[in-house]
Amino acid sequence: MTTPDALPGTAESYWMDTAPGPRWPRLEADTTADVVVIGAGMAGLSTAWELIRAGRNVAVLEADRVAAGVSGYTTAKLTAAHSLVYERLRRTRGKEGARAYARSQQGAVEQVAAVAAELGIDCDIERSSALTFTTDPHQRAMFEAEAEAAAEAGLDADFVTGTDLPFPVSAAVRVGNQARFHPRKYLLALADDITARGGVIHERTRVTGLTEGSPCKVTTEQGVTVSAADVVVATHYPVFDRALHFARLSPRRELVVAAPLPASEAPEHMYITDDMGKRSVRTAPFDEGRRLLIVTGESFTPGTGDSRERFLRLDGWMHEHFRVGATAYRWAAQDNEASDGVPLVGPFHPGARHVYVATGFGGWGMSGGAMAGQLLAAELTGAEPEWASLYDPRRLWSTVREGSALLQQQADVARHFVGDRLKSTHVDSVTDIAPGSGAVVRVEGRRCAVYRDEEGTAHAVSARCTHLGCLVAFNQAETAWECPCHGSRFGIDGEVLHGPALRPLPPRSI
Ligand code: FES
């Protein structure tokens, strides 16, 4: 038994490391608001800010810290170019659907730029093009069709074969007028502006109950309630599920590595490819004469194997293709992909009058979150953008057209629910677990998730996810328990790191 070797780079996101935030108080007493927004990431804070500007009294409740969940670990591309999306949208939602998607997403890019300018936020926002590329010559026709569909949808898009990447590509779609920024600097300033305008923000305030009505009531794990006319659930994966959204969302985890390179060698634009298990590239300001190259990839379902090999593969790719220095950071991002590829933003369920949801942004939560803020603020104040129906979570057409994706998602969940109980990778005894490792082990007939720390002390919690009961698996590179069914994540002592689970894994004595 050996302790796993360290991976390269500091295990923290660049955004978290370079923009520490102030602390907002926990909610300690019952209160009221016009609107409660649950979740203080890009979607939640954008919605709160837009609503306050529209004259609403808003309370934001965050289970952890502001902009410290998915929004603190994104690659922070602000773009309407979401890989190969427009040709598919044109086929499935028609030309108008593709145009609506382009208008709303490009509008979100422009909105973030406008808000940053209006509030004087120094968030390193930079304009550039976004390119989706392939190195496979057989895919040329597909990329030509995508470029044509994106241009037809109204974007500044064209087909190219030359890029400023340090390796050749076979085909690419270039979309101009996109942007990249520092998400924490932007969101922390937005949060400050929300409170300056009379809104309230409460951190370490996990919402565990929601009663719909007039008014609606949300309850925190401390038993405190907030009454409000309207509630927005913007918790990445919805912490409440009244419309089987979990059946329409697939969690996906992606790894990120970052290293400095000379500014003169930094690619000017942002890039993404589905080749090699996905690779996404952008740079950010770093220090004198250098920029930070940020590379994302190795997409996988949480709880399906250790990230260690994936980190090493991604880091190797970065060093092979770019003249970077030593790896400075490594982190991971988590996304939810809607089964039809279009986010779910709007009324929570068919009967919902005062509860709204924003989720399913795929890997595009920065433009998607800003778009959701504009859309939900408009819906709550009586307006309705022409593209609202595109994102409406109640869209019925999708249950027909998404049939195979939905069935696949449910088959995956069933496989994890049943198959993981028989896994041969689960160890037979706690003594088989090496220091610094974790495994699922049966103790007195019960599955326990056991982590042995570097000093040899075992930390044991239930291995049954508190969301819907699938078995968790250990991610050694990130020292966390992960559920493969809907992506909940837990710390070694069972605390919830990422929903939809609301309750921690209970401790077990072994
Ligand atoms: Fe749904 Fe674990 S996240 S069962």
Side-chain angles (χ1 to χ4, degrees), residues 19-48:
R23 291 178 185 272
W24 281 273
R26 175 177 276 161
L27 179 64
E28 304 282 6
D30 294 353
T31 186
T32 61
D34 292 339
V35 184
V36 175
V37 175
I38 307 171
M42 187 67 172
L45 291 178
S46 297
T47 304

PDB file of all heavy atoms in Angstrom, residues 19-48:
ATOM      1  N   ALA A  19      -8.902  35.936  -6.136  1.00  0.00           N
ATOM      2  CA  ALA A  19      -9.976  36.871  -5.760  1.00  0.00           C
ATOM      3  C   ALA A  19     -10.688  36.364  -4.507  1.00  0.00           C
ATOM      4  O   ALA A  19     -11.808  35.865  -4.581  1.00  0.00           O
ATOM      5  CB  ALA A  19     -10.970  37.052  -6.912  1.00  0.00           C
ATOM      6  N   PRO A  20     -10.032  36.468  -3.354  1.00  0.00           N
ATOM      7  CA  PRO A  20     -10.712  36.075  -2.119  1.00  0.00           C
ATOM      8  C   PRO A  20     -11.878  37.023  -1.860  1.00  0.00           C
ATOM      9  O   PRO A  20     -11.787  38.210  -2.170  1.00  0.00           O
ATOM     10  CB  PRO A  20      -9.622  36.223  -1.048  1.00  0.00           C
ATOM     11  CG  PRO A  20      -8.632  37.165  -1.635  1.00  0.00           C
ATOM     12  CD  PRO A  20      -8.690  37.017  -3.118  1.00  0.00           C
ATOM     13  N   GLY A  21     -12.956  36.500  -1.349  1.00  0.00           N
ATOM     14  CA  GLY A  21     -14.142  37.341  -1.189  1.00  0.00           C
ATOM     15  C   GLY A  21     -14.393  37.726   0.246  1.00  0.00           C
ATOM     16  O   GLY A  21     -13.884  37.093   1.165  1.00  0.00           O
ATOM     17  N   PRO A  22     -15.196  38.771   0.452  1.00  0.00           N
ATOM     18  CA  PRO A  22     -15.649  39.086   1.810  1.00  0.00           C
ATOM     19  C   PRO A  22     -16.626  38.011   2.271  1.00  0.00           C
ATOM     20  O   PRO A  22     -17.045  37.166   1.472  1.00  0.00           O
ATOM     21  CB  PRO A  22     -16.359  40.431   1.630  1.00  0.00           C
ATOM     22  CG  PRO A  22     -16.826  40.411   0.211  1.00  0.00           C
ATOM     23  CD  PRO A  22     -15.832  39.609  -0.560  1.00  0.00           C
ATOM     24  N   ARG A  23     -16.992  38.006   3.519  1.00  0.00           N
ATOM     25  CA  ARG A  23     -17.955  37.026   4.022  1.00  0.00           C
ATOM     26  C   ARG A  23     -19.281  37.715   4.300  1.00  0.00           C
ATOM     27  O   ARG A  23     -19.312  38.792   4.873  1.00  0.00           O
ATOM     28  CB  ARG A  23     -17.418  36.357   5.293  1.00  0.00           C
ATOM     29  CG  ARG A  23     -16.239  35.467   4.983  1.00  0.00           C
ATOM     30  CD  ARG A  23     -15.652  34.826   6.227  1.00  0.00           C
ATOM     31  NE  ARG A  23     -14.449  34.087   5.836  1.00  0.00           N
ATOM     32  CZ  ARG A  23     -14.458  32.816   5.421  1.00  0.00           C
ATOM     33  NH1 ARG A  23     -15.594  32.151   5.369  1.00  0.00           N
ATOM     34  NH2 ARG A  23     -13.349  32.221   5.065  1.00  0.00           N
ATOM     35  N   TRP A  24     -20.337  37.071   3.856  1.00  0.00           N
ATOM     36  CA  TRP A  24     -21.661  37.565   4.172  1.00  0.00           C
ATOM     37  C   TRP A  24     -22.246  36.709   5.296  1.00  0.00           C
ATOM     38  O   TRP A  24     -21.888  35.522   5.418  1.00  0.00           O
ATOM     39  CB  TRP A  24     -22.561  37.504   2.936  1.00  0.00           C
ATOM     40  CG  TRP A  24     -22.312  38.631   1.977  1.00  0.00           C
ATOM     41  CD1 TRP A  24     -22.889  39.864   2.004  1.00  0.00           C
ATOM     42  CD2 TRP A  24     -21.408  38.648   0.859  1.00  0.00           C
ATOM     43  NE1 TRP A  24     -22.395  40.649   0.959  1.00  0.00           N
ATOM     44  CE2 TRP A  24     -21.496  39.919   0.247  1.00  0.00           C
ATOM     45  CE3 TRP A  24     -20.529  37.716   0.311  1.00  0.00           C
ATOM     46  CZ2 TRP A  24     -20.752  40.280  -0.869  1.00  0.00           C
ATOM     47  CZ3 TRP A  24     -19.777  38.065  -0.799  1.00  0.00           C
ATOM     48  CH2 TRP A  24     -19.895  39.335  -1.382  1.00  0.00           C
ATOM     49  N   PRO A  25     -23.112  37.268   6.126  1.00  0.00           N
ATOM     50  CA  PRO A  25     -23.569  36.541   7.324  1.00  0.00           C
ATOM     51  C   PRO A  25     -24.534  35.414   6.993  1.00  0.00           C
ATOM     52  O   PRO A  25     -25.225  35.450   5.979  1.00  0.00           O
ATOM     53  CB  PRO A  25     -24.275  37.632   8.137  1.00  0.00           C
ATOM     54  CG  PRO A  25     -24.754  38.607   7.105  1.00  0.00           C
ATOM     55  CD  PRO A  25     -23.714  38.606   6.024  1.00  0.00           C
ATOM     56  N   ARG A  26     -24.576  34.438   7.877  1.00  0.00           N
ATOM     57  CA  ARG A  26     -25.587  33.377   7.796  1.00  0.00           C
ATOM     58  C   ARG A  26     -26.943  33.989   8.154  1.00  0.00           C
ATOM     59  O   ARG A  26     -27.019  34.921   8.964  1.00  0.00           O
ATOM     60  CB  ARG A  26     -25.196  32.285   8.785  1.00  0.00           C
ATOM     61  CG  ARG A  26     -26.190  31.170   8.915  1.00  0.00           C
ATOM     62  CD  ARG A  26     -25.673  30.112   9.864  1.00  0.00           C
ATOM     63  NE  ARG A  26     -24.791  29.203   9.164  1.00  0.00           N
ATOM     64  CZ  ARG A  26     -23.910  28.403   9.745  1.00  0.00           C
ATOM     65  NH1 ARG A  26     -23.765  28.417  11.056  1.00  0.00           N
ATOM     66  NH2 ARG A  26     -23.168  27.591   9.034  1.00  0.00           N
ATOM     67  N   LEU A  27     -28.011  33.474   7.575  1.00  0.00           N
ATOM     68  CA  LEU A  27     -29.359  33.935   7.941  1.00  0.00           C
ATOM     69  C   LEU A  27     -29.727  33.324   9.288  1.00  0.00           C
ATOM     70  O   LEU A  27     -29.746  32.100   9.437  1.00  0.00           O
ATOM     71  CB  LEU A  27     -30.373  33.502   6.863  1.00  0.00           C
ATOM     72  CG  LEU A  27     -31.822  33.895   7.128  1.00  0.00           C
ATOM     73  CD1 LEU A  27     -31.994  35.414   7.133  1.00  0.00           C
ATOM     74  CD2 LEU A  27     -32.752  33.262   6.093  1.00  0.00           C
ATOM     75  N   GLU A  28     -30.035  34.183  10.268  1.00  0.00           N
ATOM     76  CA  GLU A  28     -30.271  33.689  11.627  1.00  0.00           C
ATOM     77  C   GLU A  28     -31.716  33.844  12.076  1.00  0.00           C
ATOM     78  O   GLU A  28     -32.109  33.282  13.088  1.00  0.00           O
ATOM     79  CB  GLU A  28     -29.366  34.443  12.630  1.00  0.00           C
ATOM     80  CG  GLU A  28     -27.875  34.367  12.319  1.00  0.00           C
ATOM     81  CD  GLU A  28     -27.244  33.040  12.715  1.00  0.00           C
ATOM     82  OE1 GLU A  28     -27.991  32.131  13.131  1.00  0.00           O
ATOM     83  OE2 GLU A  28     -26.006  32.922  12.567  1.00  0.00           O
ATOM     84  N   ALA A  29     -32.536  34.664  11.357  1.00  0.00           N
ATOM     85  CA  ALA A  29     -33.906  34.904  11.827  1.00  0.00           C
ATOM     86  C   ALA A  29     -34.867  34.921  10.642  1.00  0.00           C
ATOM     87  O   ALA A  29     -34.478  35.267   9.518  1.00  0.00           O
ATOM     88  CB  ALA A  29     -33.968  36.242  12.565  1.00  0.00           C
ATOM     89  N   ASP A  30     -36.120  34.559  10.905  1.00  0.00           N
ATOM     90  CA  ASP A  30     -37.133  34.569   9.848  1.00  0.00           C
ATOM     91  C   ASP A  30     -37.211  35.959   9.208  1.00  0.00           C
ATOM     92  O   ASP A  30     -37.047  36.975   9.886  1.00  0.00           O
ATOM     93  CB  ASP A  30     -38.510  34.225  10.426  1.00  0.00           C
ATOM     94  CG  ASP A  30     -38.570  32.787  10.932  1.00  0.00           C
ATOM     95  OD1 ASP A  30     -37.598  32.034  10.718  1.00  0.00           O
ATOM     96  OD2 ASP A  30     -39.584  32.430  11.556  1.00  0.00           O
ATOM     97  N   THR A  31     -37.482  35.976   7.918  1.00  0.00           N
ATOM     98  CA  THR A  31     -37.535  37.261   7.227  1.00  0.00           C
ATOM     99  C   THR A  31     -38.453  37.164   6.005  1.00  0.00           C
ATOM    100  O   THR A  31     -39.005  36.094   5.714  1.00  0.00           O
ATOM    101  CB  THR A  31     -36.115  37.732   6.824  1.00  0.00           C
ATOM    102  OG1 THR A  31     -36.195  39.056   6.289  1.00  0.00           O
ATOM    103  CG2 THR A  31     -35.487  36.809   5.797  1.00  0.00           C
ATOM    104  N   THR A  32     -38.615  38.271   5.306  1.00  0.00           N
ATOM    105  CA  THR A  32     -39.438  38.297   4.091  1.00  0.00           C
ATOM    106  C   THR A  32     -38.679  39.008   2.973  1.00  0.00           C
ATOM    107  O   THR A  32     -37.744  39.763   3.234  1.00  0.00           O
ATOM    108  CB  THR A  32     -40.763  39.055   4.327  1.00  0.00           C
ATOM    109  OG1 THR A  32     -40.451  40.401   4.699  1.00  0.00           O
ATOM    110  CG2 THR A  32     -41.594  38.404   5.418  1.00  0.00           C
ATOM    111  N   ALA A  33     -39.096  38.746   1.761  1.00  0.00           N
ATOM    112  CA  ALA A  33     -38.517  39.431   0.595  1.00  0.00           C
ATOM    113  C   ALA A  33     -39.531  39.338  -0.535  1.00  0.00           C
ATOM    114  O   ALA A  33     -40.467  38.531  -0.471  1.00  0.00           O
ATOM    115  CB  ALA A  33     -37.202  38.771   0.181  1.00  0.00           C
ATOM    116  N   ASP A  34     -39.364  40.162  -1.566  1.00  0.00           N
ATOM    117  CA  ASP A  34     -40.199  39.982  -2.760  1.00  0.00           C
ATOM    118  C   ASP A  34     -39.807  38.682  -3.462  1.00  0.00           C
ATOM    119  O   ASP A  34     -40.655  37.915  -3.892  1.00  0.00           O
ATOM    120  CB  ASP A  34     -39.997  41.144  -3.740  1.00  0.00           C
ATOM    121  CG  ASP A  34     -40.542  42.452  -3.196  1.00  0.00           C
ATOM    122  OD1 ASP A  34     -41.403  42.403  -2.302  1.00  0.00           O
ATOM    123  OD2 ASP A  34     -40.094  43.516  -3.676  1.00  0.00           O
ATOM    124  N   VAL A  35     -38.500  38.480  -3.584  1.00  0.00           N
ATOM    125  CA  VAL A  35     -37.991  37.306  -4.297  1.00  0.00           C
ATOM    126  C   VAL A  35     -36.840  36.692  -3.493  1.00  0.00           C
ATOM    127  O   VAL A  35     -35.953  37.424  -3.027  1.00  0.00           O
ATOM    128  CB  VAL A  35     -37.461  37.678  -5.709  1.00  0.00           C
ATOM    129  CG1 VAL A  35     -37.033  36.414  -6.460  1.00  0.00           C
ATOM    130  CG2 VAL A  35     -38.503  38.448  -6.507  1.00  0.00           C
ATOM    131  N   VAL A  36     -36.858  35.378  -3.321  1.00  0.00           N
ATOM    132  CA  VAL A  36     -35.707  34.662  -2.775  1.00  0.00           C
ATOM    133  C   VAL A  36     -35.003  33.988  -3.936  1.00  0.00           C
ATOM    134  O   VAL A  36     -35.631  33.269  -4.718  1.00  0.00           O
ATOM    135  CB  VAL A  36     -36.125  33.572  -1.761  1.00  0.00           C
ATOM    136  CG1 VAL A  36     -34.901  32.767  -1.327  1.00  0.00           C
ATOM    137  CG2 VAL A  36     -36.764  34.193  -0.558  1.00  0.00           C
ATOM    138  N   VAL A  37     -33.708  34.228  -4.044  1.00  0.00           N
ATOM    139  CA  VAL A  37     -32.887  33.532  -5.040  1.00  0.00           C
ATOM    140  C   VAL A  37     -32.023  32.534  -4.282  1.00  0.00           C
ATOM    141  O   VAL A  37     -31.262  32.922  -3.385  1.00  0.00           O
ATOM    142  CB  VAL A  37     -32.006  34.519  -5.831  1.00  0.00           C
ATOM    143  CG1 VAL A  37     -31.081  33.752  -6.778  1.00  0.00           C
ATOM    144  CG2 VAL A  37     -32.874  35.497  -6.620  1.00  0.00           C
ATOM    145  N   ILE A  38     -32.142  31.259  -4.625  1.00  0.00           N
ATOM    146  CA  ILE A  38     -31.353  30.220  -3.962  1.00  0.00           C
ATOM    147  C   ILE A  38     -30.157  29.906  -4.855  1.00  0.00           C
ATOM    148  O   ILE A  38     -30.320  29.396  -5.967  1.00  0.00           O
ATOM    149  CB  ILE A  38     -32.187  28.946  -3.724  1.00  0.00           C
ATOM    150  CG1 ILE A  38     -33.490  29.296  -2.991  1.00  0.00           C
ATOM    151  CG2 ILE A  38     -31.399  27.928  -2.911  1.00  0.00           C
ATOM    152  CD1 ILE A  38     -34.472  28.129  -2.911  1.00  0.00           C
ATOM    153  N   GLY A  39     -28.961  30.221  -4.366  1.00  0.00           N
ATOM    154  CA  GLY A  39     -27.751  29.984  -5.145  1.00  0.00           C
ATOM    155  C   GLY A  39     -27.102  31.293  -5.560  1.00  0.00           C
ATOM    156  O   GLY A  39     -27.750  32.143  -6.174  1.00  0.00           O
ATOM    157  N   ALA A  40     -25.821  31.475  -5.198  1.00  0.00           N
ATOM    158  CA  ALA A  40     -25.115  32.728  -5.499  1.00  0.00           C
ATOM    159  C   ALA A  40     -23.968  32.491  -6.468  1.00  0.00           C
ATOM    160  O   ALA A  40     -22.829  32.853  -6.224  1.00  0.00           O
ATOM    161  CB  ALA A  40     -24.605  33.376  -4.215  1.00  0.00           C
ATOM    162  N   GLY A  41     -24.298  31.850  -7.606  1.00  0.00           N
ATOM    163  CA  GLY A  41     -23.346  31.733  -8.710  1.00  0.00           C
ATOM    164  C   GLY A  41     -23.744  32.710  -9.802  1.00  0.00           C
ATOM    165  O   GLY A  41     -24.477  33.681  -9.559  1.00  0.00           O
ATOM    166  N   MET A  42     -23.285  32.443 -11.020  1.00  0.00           N
ATOM    167  CA  MET A  42     -23.536  33.371 -12.134  1.00  0.00           C
ATOM    168  C   MET A  42     -25.041  33.549 -12.374  1.00  0.00           C
ATOM    169  O   MET A  42     -25.514  34.678 -12.540  1.00  0.00           O
ATOM    170  CB  MET A  42     -22.856  32.847 -13.400  1.00  0.00           C
ATOM    171  CG  MET A  42     -22.908  33.811 -14.565  1.00  0.00           C
ATOM    172  SD  MET A  42     -21.917  35.289 -14.242  1.00  0.00           S
ATOM    173  CE  MET A  42     -21.970  36.101 -15.835  1.00  0.00           C
ATOM    174  N   ALA A  43     -25.796  32.442 -12.391  1.00  0.00           N
ATOM    175  CA  ALA A  43     -27.234  32.560 -12.680  1.00  0.00           C
ATOM    176  C   ALA A  43     -27.958  33.268 -11.530  1.00  0.00           C
ATOM    177  O   ALA A  43     -28.784  34.160 -11.760  1.00  0.00           O
ATOM    178  CB  ALA A  43     -27.834  31.176 -12.925  1.00  0.00           C
ATOM    179  N   GLY A  44     -27.664  32.874 -10.295  1.00  0.00           N
ATOM    180  CA  GLY A  44     -28.371  33.448  -9.147  1.00  0.00           C
ATOM    181  C   GLY A  44     -28.071  34.922  -8.969  1.00  0.00           C
ATOM    182  O   GLY A  44     -28.994  35.746  -8.799  1.00  0.00           O
ATOM    183  N   LEU A  45     -26.799  35.297  -9.011  1.00  0.00           N
ATOM    184  CA  LEU A  45     -26.452  36.707  -8.792  1.00  0.00           C
ATOM    185  C   LEU A  45     -26.900  37.572  -9.961  1.00  0.00           C
ATOM    186  O   LEU A  45     -27.329  38.720  -9.763  1.00  0.00           O
ATOM    187  CB  LEU A  45     -24.946  36.848  -8.557  1.00  0.00           C
ATOM    188  CG  LEU A  45     -24.440  36.272  -7.226  1.00  0.00           C
ATOM    189  CD1 LEU A  45     -22.921  36.414  -7.127  1.00  0.00           C
ATOM    190  CD2 LEU A  45     -25.095  36.949  -6.025  1.00  0.00           C
ATOM    191  N   SER A  46     -26.824  37.039 -11.187  1.00  0.00           N
ATOM    192  CA  SER A  46     -27.306  37.830 -12.336  1.00  0.00           C
ATOM    193  C   SER A  46     -28.800  38.081 -12.195  1.00  0.00           C
ATOM    194  O   SER A  46     -29.285  39.200 -12.450  1.00  0.00           O
ATOM    195  CB  SER A  46     -27.025  37.091 -13.651  1.00  0.00           C
ATOM    196  OG  SER A  46     -25.646  36.927 -13.840  1.00  0.00           O
ATOM    197  N   THR A  47     -29.545  37.054 -11.771  1.00  0.00           N
ATOM    198  CA  THR A  47     -30.990  37.217 -11.589  1.00  0.00           C
ATOM    199  C   THR A  47     -31.282  38.231 -10.483  1.00  0.00           C
ATOM    200  O   THR A  47     -32.122  39.129 -10.639  1.00  0.00           O
ATOM    201  CB  THR A  47     -31.629  35.863 -11.229  1.00  0.00           C
ATOM    202  OG1 THR A  47     -31.306  34.916 -12.245  1.00  0.00           O
ATOM    203  CG2 THR A  47     -33.133  35.971 -11.108  1.00  0.00           C
ATOM    204  N   ALA A  48     -30.584  38.087  -9.348  1.00  0.00           N
ATOM    205  CA  ALA A  48     -30.812  39.009  -8.231  1.00  0.00           C
ATOM    206  C   ALA A  48     -30.516  40.445  -8.640  1.00  0.00           C
ATOM    207  O   ALA A  48     -31.274  41.372  -8.328  1.00  0.00           O
ATOM    208  CB  ALA A  48     -29.931  38.593  -7.053  1.00  0.00           C
TER     209      ALA A  48
END
